[in-house]
Coordinates of all heavy atoms in Angstrom, one line a residue:
R59 N 87.2 94.1 124.4 CA 86.3 95.0 125.0 C 86.4 96.4 124.3 O 85.4 97.0 124.0 CB 86.6 95.2 126.5 CG 85.7 96.2 127.1 CD 86.0 96.3 128.6 NE 85.1 97.3 129.2 CZ 84.9 97.4 130.5 NH1 85.6 96.6 131.4 NH2 84.1 98.3 131.0
T60 N 87.6 96.8 124.0 CA 87.8 98.1 123.2 C 87.2 98.0 121.9 O 86.5 98.9 121.4 CB 89.3 98.4 123.1 OG1 89.9 98.5 124.4 CG2 89.6 99.6 122.3
L61 N 87.4 96.9 121.1 CA 86.8 96.7 119.8 C 85.3 96.7 119.9 O 84.6 97.4 119.1 CB 87.2 95.4 119.2 CG 88.7 95.4 118.7 CD1 89.0 93.9 118.3 CD2 88.9 96.3 117.6
N62 N 84.7 96.0 120.9 CA 83.3 95.9 121.1 C 82.7 97.3 121.4 O 81.6 97.7 120.9 CB 83.0 94.9 122.2 CG 81.7 94.3 122.1 OD1 81.0 94.3 121.0 ND2 81.2 93.7 123.2
K63 N 83.4 98.1 122.2 CA 82.9 99.4 122.6 C 83.0 100.4 121.4 O 82.0 101.1 121.1 CB 83.7 100.0 123.7 CG 83.3 101.4 124.2 CD 84.1 101.9 125.3 CE 83.6 103.3 125.7 NZ 84.4 103.9 126.8
N64 N 84.1 100.3 120.7 CA 84.3 101.2 119.5 C 83.4 100.9 118.3 O 82.9 101.8 117.6 CB 85.7 101.2 119.1 CG 86.7 101.9 120.1 OD1 86.2 102.6 121.0 ND2 88.0 101.6 119.9
W65 N 83.2 99.6 118.1 CA 82.4 99.2 116.8 C 81.0 98.9 117.1 O 80.2 99.1 116.2 CB 83.1 98.1 116.2 CG 84.4 98.5 115.6 CD1 85.7 98.3 116.2 CD2 84.7 99.2 114.4 NE1 86.7 98.9 115.4 CE2 86.1 99.4 114.3 CE3 83.9 99.7 113.4 CZ2 86.6 100.1 113.2 CZ3 84.4 100.3 112.3 CH2 85.8 100.5 112.2
R66 N 80.6 98.5 118.3 CA 79.3 98.1 118.6 C 78.6 98.9 119.6 O 77.4 98.7 119.9 CB 79.2 96.6 118.9 CG 79.7 95.7 117.8 CD 79.7 94.2 118.1 NE 78.4 93.7 118.4 CZ 78.1 92.9 119.4 NH1 79.0 92.4 120.2 NH2 76.9 92.5 119.6
G67 N 79.4 99.7 120.3 CA 78.8 100.6 121.4 C 78.5 99.7 122.7 O 77.8 100.2 123.5
I68 N 79.1 98.6 122.8 CA 78.9 97.7 123.9 C 80.2 97.6 124.7 O 81.2 97.1 124.3 CB 78.4 96.3 123.5 CG1 77.1 96.4 122.7 CG2 78.3 95.4 124.7 CD1 76.7 95.1 122.0
D69 N 80.2 98.2 125.9 CA 81.4 98.3 126.7 C 81.6 97.1 127.6 O 81.5 97.2 128.9 CB 81.3 99.6 127.6 CG 82.7 99.9 128.3 OD1 83.7 99.3 127.9 OD2 82.7 100.8 129.1
K70 N 81.8 96.0 127.0 CA 82.2 94.7 127.7 C 82.9 93.8 126.8 O 82.7 93.9 125.6 CB 80.9 94.1 128.4 CG 79.9 93.5 127.4 CD 78.8 92.9 128.1 CE 77.9 92.1 127.1 NZ 76.9 91.3 127.7
P71 N 83.6 92.9 127.4 CA 84.3 91.9 126.5 C 83.2 90.9 125.9 O 82.1 90.7 126.5 CB 85.3 91.2 127.4 CG 84.9 91.5 128.8 CD 84.0 92.7 128.7
T72 N 83.6 90.2 124.9 CA 82.8 89.2 124.3 C 83.7 88.1 123.8 O 84.9 88.3 123.9 CB 81.9 89.7 123.1 OG1 81.0 88.7 122.7 CG2 82.7 90.2 122.0
N73 N 83.2 87.0 123.3 CA 84.1 85.9 122.8 C 84.7 86.2 121.5 O 85.9 86.0 121.2 CB 83.4 84.6 122.9 CG 82.0 84.5 122.3 OD1 81.7 85.4 121.4 ND2 81.3 83.5 122.6
V74 N 83.8 86.5 120.5 CA 84.3 86.7 119.1 C 83.6 87.9 118.5 O 82.4 88.1 118.7 CB 84.0 85.4 118.3 CG1 82.6 85.0 118.2 CG2 84.7 85.5 116.9
L75 N 84.3 88.6 117.6 CA 83.8 89.7 116.8 C 84.2 89.4 115.4 O 85.4 89.0 115.2 CB 84.3 91.0 117.3 CG 83.8 91.5 118.6 CD1 84.5 92.8 119.0 CD2 82.3 91.8 118.6
A76 N 83.4 89.7 114.5 CA 83.7 89.6 113.0 C 83.5 90.9 112.3 O 82.4 91.6 112.6 CB 82.8 88.5 112.4
F77 N 84.4 91.3 111.5 CA 84.3 92.5 110.8 C 84.4 92.2 109.3 O 85.5 92.2 108.7 CB 85.5 93.5 111.2 CG 85.5 93.8 112.7 CD1 86.2 93.0 113.5 CD2 84.6 94.8 113.2 CE1 86.2 93.3 114.9 CE2 84.6 95.1 114.5 CZ 85.4 94.3 115.4
P78 N 83.3 92.0 108.6 CA 83.4 91.7 107.2 C 83.9 92.9 106.4 O 83.7 94.1 106.7 CB 81.9 91.5 106.8 CG 81.2 91.2 108.1 CD 81.9 91.9 109.1
A79 N 84.8 92.6 105.4 CA 85.4 93.7 104.6 C 84.4 94.2 103.6 O 83.5 93.5 103.1 CB 86.6 93.1 103.9
L80 N 84.5 95.5 103.4 CA 83.7 96.1 102.4 C 84.3 95.7 101.0 O 85.5 95.8 100.9 CB 83.7 97.7 102.5 CG 83.1 98.2 103.8 CD1 83.3 99.7 103.8 CD2 81.6 97.9 103.8
Q81 N 83.5 95.3 100.1 CA 84.0 94.8 98.8 C 84.1 96.0 97.9 O 83.2 96.8 97.7 CB 83.2 93.7 98.2 CG 83.1 92.5 99.1 CD 84.5 91.9 99.4 OE1 85.4 91.8 98.5 NE2 84.7 91.5 100.6
S82 N 85.3 96.1 97.3 CA 85.5 97.2 96.3 C 84.8 96.9 95.0 O 84.8 95.8 94.5 CB 87.1 97.4 96.1 OG 87.3 98.3 95.1
E83 N 84.4 98.0 94.4 CA 83.7 97.8 93.0 C 84.8 97.7 91.9 O 84.5 97.2 90.9 CB 82.8 99.0 92.8 CG 81.6 99.1 93.7 CD 80.7 97.9 93.5 OE1 80.5 97.5 92.4 OE2 80.2 97.5 94.6
R84 N 86.0 98.2 92.2 CA 87.0 98.1 91.1 C 87.7 96.8 91.1 O 88.0 96.2 92.2 CB 88.0 99.3 91.3 CG 88.9 99.1 92.4 CD 89.9 100.3 92.4 NE 90.7 100.2 93.6 CZ 91.8 99.5 93.8 NH1 92.2 98.7 92.8 NH2 92.5 99.5 94.9
A85 N 87.9 96.3 90.0 CA 88.6 95.0 89.8 C 90.1 95.2 89.7 O 90.5 95.9 88.8 CB 88.1 94.2 88.6
D86 N 90.8 94.7 90.6 CA 92.3 94.8 90.6 C 92.8 93.4 90.7 O 92.8 92.9 91.8 CB 92.8 95.7 91.7 CG 94.3 96.0 91.7 OD1 95.0 95.3 90.9 OD2 94.8 96.8 92.4
D87 N 93.3 92.9 89.6 CA 93.7 91.5 89.7 C 94.9 91.2 90.6 O 95.1 90.1 91.0 CB 94.0 91.0 88.2 CG 92.8 90.9 87.3 OD1 91.7 90.9 87.9 OD2 93.0 91.0 86.1
D88 N 95.6 92.2 90.9 CA 96.8 92.1 91.7 C 96.5 92.1 93.2 O 97.3 91.6 94.0 CB 97.9 93.1 91.4 CG 98.4 93.0 90.0 OD1 98.4 91.9 89.5 OD2 98.9 94.0 89.4
A89 N 95.4 92.7 93.6 CA 95.1 92.8 95.0 C 94.2 91.6 95.4 O 93.3 91.3 94.8 CB 94.3 94.1 95.2
P90 N 94.5 91.1 96.6 CA 93.7 90.0 97.1 C 92.3 90.5 97.5 O 92.2 91.7 97.9 CB 94.5 89.4 98.3 CG 95.3 90.6 98.7 CD 95.6 91.4 97.5
R91 N 91.4 89.6 97.5 CA 90.0 90.0 97.9 C 90.0 89.7 99.4 O 90.3 88.6 99.9 CB 89.0 89.2 97.2 CG 87.5 89.5 97.5 CD 86.6 88.9 96.5 NE 86.8 87.4 96.4 CZ 86.3 86.5 97.2 NH1 85.4 86.9 98.1 NH2 86.5 85.2 97.0
M92 N 89.6 90.7 100.2 CA 89.6 90.5 101.7 C 88.2 90.1 102.1 O 87.2 90.7 101.7 CB 89.9 91.9 102.3 CG 91.3 92.3 102.1 SD 92.6 91.2 102.6 CE 92.3 91.0 104.3
L93 N 88.1 89.0 102.9 CA 86.9 88.6 103.5 C 86.6 89.5 104.8 O 85.4 89.8 105.0 CB 86.9 87.2 103.9 CG 86.9 86.2 102.7 CD1 87.0 84.7 103.2 CD2 85.7 86.4 101.8
G94 N 87.6 89.8 105.5 CA 87.5 90.6 106.7 C 88.4 90.1 107.8 O 89.3 89.3 107.6
D95 N 88.0 90.5 109.0 CA 88.8 90.2 110.2 C 87.9 89.6 111.3 O 86.7 89.9 111.4 CB 89.5 91.5 110.8 CG 90.4 92.1 109.8 OD1 91.1 91.5 109.1 OD2 90.2 93.4 109.6
I96 N 88.5 88.7 112.1 CA 87.9 88.1 113.2 C 88.8 88.3 114.4 O 90.0 88.2 114.3 CB 87.7 86.6 113.0 CG1 86.8 86.3 111.8 CG2 87.1 85.9 114.3 CD1 86.8 84.8 111.3
A97 N 88.2 88.7 115.6 CA 88.9 88.8 116.8 C 88.3 87.8 117.8 O 87.1 87.7 117.9 CB 88.8 90.3 117.4
I98 N 89.2 87.1 118.5 CA 88.8 86.2 119.5 C 89.5 86.5 120.8 O 90.7 86.6 120.8 CB 89.0 84.7 119.1 CG1 88.3 84.4 117.8 CG2 88.6 83.7 120.2 CD1 88.6 83.0 117.2
A99 N 88.7 86.6 121.9 CA 89.3 86.9 123.2 C 89.6 85.7 124.0 O 88.8 84.8 124.2 CB 88.3 87.8 124.0
Y100 N 90.8 85.6 124.5 CA 91.3 84.4 125.3 C 90.5 84.1 126.5 O 90.0 83.0 126.7 CB 92.8 84.5 125.6 CG 93.3 83.3 126.4 CD1 93.5 82.1 125.7 CD2 93.4 83.4 127.7 CE1 93.9 81.0 126.4 CE2 93.8 82.2 128.5 CZ 94.0 81.1 127.8 OH 94.4 79.9 128.5
E101 N 90.5 85.1 127.5 CA 89.9 84.8 128.8 C 88.4 84.4 128.6 O 88.0 83.5 129.3 CB 90.0 86.1 129.7 CG 91.4 86.5 130.1 CD 91.9 87.6 129.1 OE1 91.4 87.7 128.0 OE2 92.8 88.3 129.6
T102 N 87.6 85.1 127.8 CA 86.2 84.7 127.6 C 86.1 83.4 127.0 O 85.3 82.5 127.4 CB 85.5 85.8 126.8 OG1 85.6 87.1 127.5 CG2 84.0 85.4 126.6
T103 N 86.9 83.1 126.0 CA 86.9 81.7 125.4 C 87.3 80.7 126.4 O 86.6 79.6 126.5 CB 87.9 81.7 124.2 OG1 87.5 82.7 123.2 CG2 87.9 80.4 123.5
R104 N 88.3 80.9 127.2 CA 88.7 79.9 128.2 C 87.6 79.7 129.2 O 87.2 78.6 129.6 CB 90.0 80.4 128.9 CG 90.4 79.7 130.1 CD 90.7 78.2 130.1 NE 91.7 77.9 129.2 CZ 91.9 76.6 128.7 NH1 91.0 75.7 129.0 NH2 92.8 76.3 127.9
F105 N 87.0 80.8 129.7 CA 85.9 80.8 130.7 C 84.7 80.0 130.2 O 84.2 79.1 130.9 CB 85.5 82.2 131.2 CG 84.3 82.2 132.1 CD1 84.5 81.9 133.4 CD2 83.1 82.4 131.6 CE1 83.4 81.9 134.3 CE2 82.0 82.4 132.4 CZ 82.1 82.1 133.8
E106 N 84.3 80.3 129.0 CA 83.1 79.6 128.4 C 83.4 78.1 128.2 O 82.5 77.3 128.5 CB 82.7 80.3 127.1 CG 82.2 81.6 127.2 CD 81.9 82.4 125.9 OE1 82.4 81.9 124.8 OE2 81.3 83.4 125.9
A107 N 84.6 77.8 127.7 CA 84.9 76.4 127.5 C 84.8 75.6 128.8 O 84.3 74.5 128.9 CB 86.3 76.2 126.9
E108 N 85.4 76.2 129.9 CA 85.4 75.5 131.2 C 84.0 75.5 131.7 O 83.6 74.4 132.3 CB 86.3 76.3 132.1 CG 87.8 76.0 131.8 CD 88.8 76.8 132.6 OE1 88.3 77.6 133.6 OE2 90.0 76.7 132.4

Side-chain angles (χ1 to χ4, degrees):
R59 180 180 182 165
T60 299
L61 290 169
N62 207 18
K63 182 179 179 184
N64 291 344
W65 293 98
R66 297 177 64 220
I68 301 172
D69 189 12
K70 68 177 188 175
T72 189
N73 52 16
V74 62
L75 291 171
F77 302 95
L80 297 174
Q81 297 304 316
S82 174
E83 293 297 321
R84 69 177 175 83
D86 184 351
D87 293 339
D88 293 334
R91 186 170 50 89
M92 297 301 299
L93 292 179
D95 301 314
I96 299 168
I98 302 174
Y100 178 79
E101 296 96 334
T102 299
T103 302
R104 167 60 62 200
F105 174 80
E106 290 173 349
E108 289 175 2

